[in-house]
Amino acid sequence: MPKLREVCHHIRSKVAGPFWVTVDLFFDGEEKYRKYRDCEELSAELFHRLYGADPALVKRIPVDSLHVVKISFPRSTPQGGMVERDMHSGQQYVRLLDIELNN
């Protein structure tokens, strides 16, 4: 089974305001985008398991023209709080790299 890092040419995470994180998955071409855009492995439940996000609040936004899927979820603590470990959420994507996707 391919890993997410193998079907995307770029994966990034970023701050989406003080209470949200957005992950952008740039798929490697239209074929891979169409194949994996709606895959169950990238479910709201995954973001609950990896980041503690409430599954009901996870947003998944496919951008067909760019072959990108944007996934936004609430941060576990507000940006800049005392327990902040990644102020700009730039490292949050790393947990997703080895997620295996069904063919």
Side-chain angles (χ1 to χ4, degrees):
M1 293 194 317
K3 294 181 179 181
L4 186 62
R5 71 169 73 215
E6 297 168 349
V7 300
C8 292
H9 67 83
H10 188 67
I11 302 170
R12 70 178 178 200
S13 56
K14 57 188 177 183
V15 67
F19 305 107
W20 287 82
V21 174
T22 294
V23 174
D24 296 327
L25 307 173
F26 294 82
F27 285 89
D28 196 14
E30 183 174 0
E31 181 181 336
K32 287 183 182 172
Y33 170 74
R34 299 271 179 221
K35 185 173 184 176
Y36 298 110
R37 154 183 81 187
D38 300 317
C39 70
E40 294 176 11
E41 293 80 14
L42 298 174
S43 68
E45 192 57 40
L46 171 70
F47 288 83
H48 170 69
R49 196 171 68 248
L50 293 180
Y51 302 101
D54 179 348
L57 298 176
V58 174
K59 300 175 184 179
R60 187 174 178 155
I61 305 152
V63 184
D64 294 342
S65 62
L66 299 175
H67 307 141
V68 171
V69 173
K70 300 176 82 58
I71 302 172
S72 295
F73 58 94
R75 297 170 67 104
S76 58
T77 60
Q79 182 184 21
M82 287 183 60
V83 296
E84 178 68 61
R85 299 187 73 194
D86 185 6
M87 183 79 152
H88 300 289
S89 300
Q91 301 301 310
Q92 299 303 309
Y93 73 94
V94 174
R95 298 179 198 174
L96 299 169
L97 294 175
D98 290 324
I99 297 298
E100 292 183 339
L101 307 172
N102 284 325
N103 284 328

